[in-house]
Amino acid sequence: MKIRLSQPDDLNPLMDIFREAQRTIAALGIDQWQNGYPSEQVILEDIDCRRSYVVEIDGAVRGTFVLVDHEPTYSEIHEGQWLGTDYLAIHRVAVALSCRGGGISDAIIRFAEHHAKERGKDSLRIDTHRGNIPMRKMLGKQGLLYRGVIYLRDGAPRVAYEKNLG
């Protein structure tokens, strides 16, 4: 398993993985990612800004995620509070259907933790839809704690998780 920065020629496999994720999320009865998000434009912007990563197995893209230093929707948290102040946020985590349960999500979290520590961050943050139970279980397994509720720009609520890295 290899994690590297995404490249423009990764766009097609990334879109395939996101389409699989959209179908899985829809099957859970969740409206997240059902409106064409993330679009090719969003993915290409992530690649151009050097914040998108892929997970390769045997040379094939099998997972993806984005790391950002600042997430505006994390400025306010409801029904709880954040642990740290200087954080790295993980977004757009998706794993190929054929590889789910194979440790890719765990590797993504470990990579993000290591990357955050290297950059002097005191915590790692992520949010997900309340109904995304598989993701919430994985986050708990990786030591991320439920911290409260954040609201996206469109007003949609998301449950927020954080891991103290100190």
Side-chain angles (χ1 to χ4, degrees):
M1 191 178 309
K2 175 184 172 186
I3 297 177
R4 63 168 173 80
L5 281 167
S6 303
Q7 301 298 318
D9 61 352
D10 295 320
L11 181 62
N12 288 335
L14 289 175
M15 290 307 297
D16 291 342
I17 290 169
F18 281 119
R19 281 191 284 273
E20 286 180 345
Q22 289 163 339
R23 287 190 295 271
T24 300
I25 291 170
L28 293 172
I30 298 171
D31 61 357
Q32 185 179 16
W33 290 8
Q34 300 306 303
N35 60 354
Y37 178 87
S39 67
E40 287 185 4
Q41 179 182 349
V42 166
I43 294 166
L44 288 170
E45 182 179 325
D46 288 338
I47 292 169
D48 188 52
C49 291
R50 301 180 55 82
R51 60 185 174 225
S52 173
Y53 293 83
V54 295
V55 180
E56 284 183 338
I57 298 176
D58 298 327
V61 174
R62 300 296 184 204
T64 186
F65 60 101
V66 169
L67 297 177
V68 296
D69 285 314
H70 177 72
E71 170 52 55
T73 62
Y74 290 177
S75 62
E76 283 188 50
I77 188 162
H78 304 268
E79 303 170 29
Q81 65 184 43
W82 294 116
L83 296 167
T85 55
D86 191 14
Y87 63 89
L88 188 67
I90 309 171
H91 288 305
R92 293 188 272 292
V93 175
V95 175
L97 187 59
S98 63
C99 296
R100 292 189 193 150
I104 291 177
S105 294
D106 297 341
I108 288 170
I109 299 297
R110 285 192 307 271
F111 179 91
E113 280 183 50
H114 178 76
H115 200 68
K117 287 177 183 176
E118 279 188 337
R119 293 167 70 180
K121 305 296 183 182
D122 61 18
S123 71
L124 185 64
R125 295 181 185 176
I126 190 169
D127 66 88
T128 191
H129 191 282
R130 185 176 303 279
N132 193 341
I133 302 305
M135 175 66 104
R136 294 179 72 183
K137 284 182 181 178
M138 184 278 295
L139 295 174
K141 183 177 130 190
Q142 290 299 314
L144 284 102
L145 304 174
Y146 172 79
R147 300 307 305 156
V149 177
I150 60 104
Y151 290 89
L152 303 179
R153 287 185 196 102
D154 67 4
R158 295 291 181 260
V159 289
Y161 286 77
E162 185 176 30
K163 184 173 188 175
N164 189 333
L165 303 176

